[in-house]
Amino acid sequence: MTRSVYVTGIDRGDGRQVVELGVMELLTRQVDRVGVFRPLVHDGPDRLFELLRARYRLSQDPATVYGIGYGEASALQAEQGTDELVSALVDRFHLVARDYDVVLVLGTDFADTQFPDELALNARLANEFGASVIPVVGGRAQSAQSVLAETRNAFRAYDSLGCDVLAMVTNRVAREDRDRIAERLGDRLPVPCWVVPDEPALSAPTVSQIAHTLGARVILGDDSGLARDALDFVFGGAMLPNLLAALTPGCLVITPGDRADLVIGSLAAHSAGTPPIAGVLLTLDEVPSDAILTLAARLAPGTPVLAVPGNSFPTAARLFSLEGKLNAATPRKAETALGLFERYVDTAALNKRVSAPSSDRVTPMMFEHKLLEQARSDLRRVVLPEGTEPRVLHAAEVLLRRGVCELTLLGPVEQIRKKAADLGIDLGDSQLIDPATSELRDSFAERYAALRAHKGVTVELAYDVVSDVNYFGTLMVQEGLADGMVSGSVHSTAATIRPGFEIIKTKPDASIVSSVFFMCLADKVLVYGDCAVNPDPNAEQLADIALQAASTAAQFGVEPRIAMLSYSTGTSGSGADVDKVREATELARARRPDLMIEGPIQYDAAVEPTVAATKLPGSQVAGQASVLIFPDLNTGNNTYKAVQRSAGAIAVGPVLQGLRKPVNDLSRGALVQDIVNTVAITAIQAQTPAPQSPAPQSPSPQSPSEKATAQ
């Protein structure tokens, strides 16, 4: 059983931080407690560990992460020999290993060190730690033949030194050589070898990093603009038409500060999206007048304008030697790195080879990881009607970089492009549609008019209705042009889901549309329903909510043990409210005798084993319920919010259930990660339909006017 993974290399410049981040992502999907250990460390901040600590919420004391500084280690090896150095590092490693289920070891970086055989030292440490090894070979600016030879030699080197080599990763190879190298390595090594192409956005410095390195003054720009990647450098000295022809997407324009025409021209090009640039760097310590800067700020709000005292030549020399780094201040680079790792590395195969001990606990982070992984396994297209909303655009970038799903964004296309450019967001191959001008508007109007003819809707009226982004997005889902829809960050719940009631309608076996929240507690995930849609369901509707929630829970890996909640447990109470829950329990059991269902039951008896042992001994559900069904919206909505705020739970939802195709709503206070999670859930719902319950005896679908919504 592997309890630690040692990521190492053979030389500097291999970009192995991508692999280290990817392996950490993999480990945290299945293990609750993951430690980090770096045997040898340079002076100064450890950017990668700070990224890991921030991203994965590590509670590990930074003092335990590091073994020995390079200078001290070199002196110890020279004075007392390699055995003493290794012994000291092994002792420090075990101080970490004893407190964690698995440890990710970050090998030496082959940069500015004084060890005569650094590869052998890494191999020795891996063996002494009992760690399996993933060697990383850098292939940047090398021929395919050279990369092939280095990868085979690296495997032989670590294998001959007795290492348990889990897999090889060949990184930063030319994109045009990637497939050929992967094919040739596939049958020449006894372990998997994954080949990852070079990604310019990872090595590109951010504008903020450039400003810090050059000691530049930030004349204009906000945090979002400073986070942009500078993918290219374009030096402005010619006339404006020649400069505009030379601009490339994501470039940083370097120009003398007295060339106001080039500054305004570059920012105007950015504002028009032809192309979006990273920013402008002014040299010679010259800054345009206040009037020019005011115009610049209005042309491209948030776009950085920096100023440095030197001239263009020494500035260029420093820029071309600057390389971007993964750190806690560059979360977008981390998303790019993970997307690259997950696309080119067979994470399922690597996961089996790592064989880290699986945890019985399900933390919020593990649940979120699983959502993204499950959505990525079978790509679906999700339409986002709120295409100009910054949070939606940031979420779209994360989803695209991680390869979670395909996206369609709705809204005025030029506004979407401009907003994305201002935020420094690359929407890649996303589909952008303006409902007001789309060629689909006519056919959608005819379709909607036919669906709502019984309500007196004409084609002329429908033509206006379908220009609404939520109606247009819902029709895309209905017509198979998208697999699901997520909206609500700037729209009310009613505006988001009413089109679904009118157009997509309920499943044949569902009497109503309902909702659940996934409540991610510290060590488990519970499913709460209905907390957002139905104010006072009757017994039959309550049974339907329970069975829908069971299917939803099972679809997302939560074994359904259903508690039908009430203010009394078992036969201890009576009254209309308790009788409703008792009747709903009987109906649900009759329709799905295969499910574990208990009710009526109080919340404490449902989730706390000691209380369950007293109030309802012998129950399969009491004390270990995973799906909790509330008797009405008032109870459910207040309870989920109380648990969310008081227990620090992460509430993912509301997830709608009962519609023929998935449409999901966001809270208007949704964070970017909330949007990412909801889109992933929607994509999963669209993959394989959840197991269906037998049709209810007397379905009585509600109209939208009979429903209430709450968040």
Side-chain angles (χ1 to χ4, degrees):
M1 183 73 73
T2 299
R3 294 197 68 251
S4 55
V5 178
Y6 196 117
V7 180
T8 182
I10 61 172
D11 201 353
R12 65 181 304 177
D14 53 27
R16 92 180 69 137
Q17 294 86 356
V18 171
V19 180
E20 291 166 334
L21 184 64
V23 172
M24 186 68 171
E25 181 88 4
L26 192 70
L27 294 175
T28 54
R29 287 178 191 170
Q30 58 180 326
V31 176
D32 179 25
R33 299 181 304 152
V34 181
V36 178
F37 184 66
R38 189 185 290 281
L40 299 177
V41 61
H42 292 287
D43 294 335
D46 186 336
R47 296 184 181 89
L48 182 66
F49 175 68
E50 290 305 316
L51 170 61
L52 297 179
R53 182 165 67 164
R55 184 177 185 85
Y56 299 104
R57 307 161 201 161
L58 303 182
S59 59
Q60 183 178 354
D61 182 352
T64 68
V65 172
Y66 309 115
I68 300 174
Y70 275 101
E72 180 187 350
S74 180
L76 179 59
Q77 185 184 44
E79 294 171 9
Q80 300 183 41
T82 301
D83 287 349
E84 286 299 319
L85 171 62
V86 170
S87 177
L89 292 173
V90 168
D91 288 344
R92 299 192 185 193
F93 168 77
H94 284 299
L95 290 176
V96 177
R98 71 185 183 186
D99 293 331
Y100 295 92
D101 299 319
V102 65
V103 179
L104 172 62
V105 185
L106 312 175
T108 68
D109 57 15
F110 295 85
D112 301 321
T113 62
Q114 301 176 21
F115 296 100
D117 191 347
E118 203 162 338
L119 187 152
L121 177 61
N122 279 289
R124 171 86 182 272
L125 290 174
N127 291 337
E128 297 291 351
F129 295 167
S132 295
V133 177
I134 301 178
V136 182
V137 176
R140 197 175 198 187
Q142 293 191 52
S143 67
Q145 195 61 38
S146 175
V147 172
L148 288 165
E150 280 205 2
T151 304
R152 292 195 296 266
N153 288 337
F155 170 77
R156 292 191 187 102
Y158 280 101
D159 184 59
S160 66
L161 291 169
C163 293
D164 173 28
V165 180
L166 278 180
M168 300 289 300
V169 177
T170 303
N171 193 30
R172 305 183 83 177
V173 304
R175 283 193 173 270
E176 61 270 21
D177 293 334
R178 188 261 160 201
D179 291 347
R180 181 157 55 101
I181 292 171
E183 182 180 355
R184 294 187 62 182
L185 286 173
D187 57 2
R188 297 199 180 188
L189 294 176
V191 298
C193 181
W194 293 296
V195 182
V196 180
D198 195 25
E199 172 51 63
L202 285 178
S203 55
T206 65
V207 178
S208 178
Q209 289 172 331
I210 290 171
H212 176 75
T213 301
L214 299 181
R217 287 184 294 146
V218 179
I219 308 300
L220 295 175
D222 56 21
D223 290 343
S224 181
L226 290 168
R228 298 177 191 173
D229 296 322
L231 301 176
D232 191 11
F233 302 116
V234 174
F235 291 85
M239 299 299 291
L240 180 59
N242 293 327
L243 174 69
L244 293 179
L247 296 180
T248 58
C251 70
L252 181 70
V253 177
I254 298 104
T255 182
D258 58 1
R259 292 296 303 271
D261 58 327
L262 302 186
V263 174
I264 294 300
S266 300
L267 295 176
H270 172 86
S271 180
T274 55
I277 64 174
V280 178
L281 175 63
L282 307 175
T283 60
L284 302 178
D285 210 21
E286 292 276 350
V287 177
S289 68
D290 290 345
I292 294 295
L293 291 177
T294 299
L295 176 59
R298 290 178 178 173
L299 271 174
T303 298
V305 177
L306 314 177
V308 294
N311 62 39
S312 296
F313 183 78
T315 300
R318 297 183 69 185
L319 286 174
F320 285 124
S321 64
L322 184 62
E323 187 166 321
K325 301 291 183 184
L326 286 172
N327 58 49
T330 58
R332 291 166 59 195
K333 284 189 184 294
E335 299 295 350
T336 299
L338 286 170
L340 199 65
F341 183 85
E342 290 160 345
R343 179 176 178 182
Y344 292 101
V345 173
D346 186 340
T347 54
L350 180 56
N351 189 51
K352 290 179 181 178
R353 295 183 69 84
V354 169
S355 300
S358 295
S359 173
D360 291 333
R361 301 176 67 206
V362 179
T363 67
M365 185 180 299
M366 291 167 72
F367 183 70
E368 289 175 357
H369 289 338
K370 184 173 181 180
L371 289 180
L372 301 190
E373 185 178 22
Q374 192 172 345
R376 193 164 42 239
S377 67
D378 185 9
L379 288 185
R380 289 291 184 265
R381 178 172 292 277
V382 178
V383 58
L384 305 177
E386 299 159 327
T388 59
E389 165 59 31
R391 289 168 295 160
V392 170
L393 289 168
H394 281 298
E397 183 179 41
V398 173
L399 292 159
L400 293 169
R401 291 189 180 210
R402 297 295 299 276
V404 175
C405 62
E406 297 175 336
L407 293 176
T408 296
L409 286 86
L410 302 184
V413 172
E414 290 307 315
Q415 287 187 32
I416 296 174
R417 286 179 176 153
K418 185 178 185 304
K419 179 65 72 173
D422 289 341
L423 297 171
I425 289 171
D426 180 8
L427 293 176
D429 296 329
S430 294
Q431 182 183 38
L432 308 182
I433 298 177
D434 183 353
T437 59
S438 171
E439 60 185 16
L440 294 170
R441 187 174 176 182
D442 288 332
S443 61
F444 279 5
E446 292 175 2
R447 177 68 169 143
Y448 181 71
L451 288 169
R452 304 294 290 172
H454 65 289
K455 293 291 186 179
V457 174
T458 64
V459 173
E460 290 76 16
L461 177 59
Y463 188 76
D464 291 333
V465 171
V466 301
S467 66
D468 176 273
V469 289
N470 286 313
Y471 276 92
F472 192 94
T474 303
L475 281 159
M476 287 190 70
V477 176
Q478 175 65 19
E479 297 301 297
L481 300 176
D483 299 299
M485 185 182 91
V486 174
S487 187
S489 68
V490 293
H491 288 92
S492 69
T493 296
T496 298
I497 66 176
R498 183 181 291 114
F501 295 150
E502 295 179 1
I503 296 166
I504 296 175
K505 305 184 184 300
T506 57
K507 295 177 181 177
D509 63 341
S511 66
I512 55 173
V513 173
S514 62
S515 73
V516 295
F517 279 87
F518 289 97
M519 302 299 295
C520 302
L521 304 174
D523 59 351
K524 59 186 172 184
V525 175
L526 299 178
V527 178
Y528 282 11
D530 176 3
C531 305
V533 178
N534 297 284
D536 189 18
N538 60 34
E540 184 178 314
Q541 292 167 341
L542 200 59
D544 195 55
I545 292 169
L547 299 185
Q548 289 181 29
S551 294
T552 301
Q555 190 174 21
F556 291 90
V558 177
E559 182 185 3
R561 293 186 295 273
I562 305 166
M564 307 293 287
L565 298 175
S566 177
Y567 60 77
S568 75
T569 296
T571 59
S572 64
S574 62
D577 291 337
V578 179
D579 291 342
K580 178 180 80 168
V581 175
R582 183 174 290 113
E583 181 184 353
T585 303
E586 293 170 355
L587 288 170
R589 284 173 175 165
R591 289 171 56 184
R592 288 290 303 274
D594 57 305
L595 290 175
M596 292 180 284
I597 305 174
E598 190 67 72
I601 185 172
Q602 292 162 289
Y603 191 100
D604 58 349
V607 300
E608 177 52 52
T610 55
V611 176
T614 302
K615 291 188 174 183
L616 210 59
S619 169
Q620 290 182 298
V621 174
Q624 51 184 342
S626 59
V627 178
L628 297 109
I629 305 302
F630 295 92
D632 52 55
L633 183 62
N634 182 49
T635 308
N637 191 262
N638 279 296
T639 302
Y640 109 74
K641 288 184 175 179
V643 173
Q644 180 185 32
R645 300 300 177 186
S646 301
I650 295 176
V652 180
V655 178
L656 297 186
Q657 50 191 18
L659 288 172
R660 293 174 185 264
K661 295 183 179 182
V663 171
N664 281 310
D665 180 38
L666 298 165
S667 164
R668 275 169 281 182
L671 303 176
V672 170
Q673 190 58 46
D674 299 330
I675 300 172
V676 170
N677 289 340
T678 303
V679 172
I681 284 174
T682 306
I684 294 166
Q685 287 179 307
Q687 287 173 348
T688 303
Q692 300 299 309
S693 306
Q697 298 297 318
S698 302
S700 52
Q702 287 179 298
S703 69
S705 62
E706 294 174 315
K707 295 178 182 292
T709 57
Q711 288 187 349

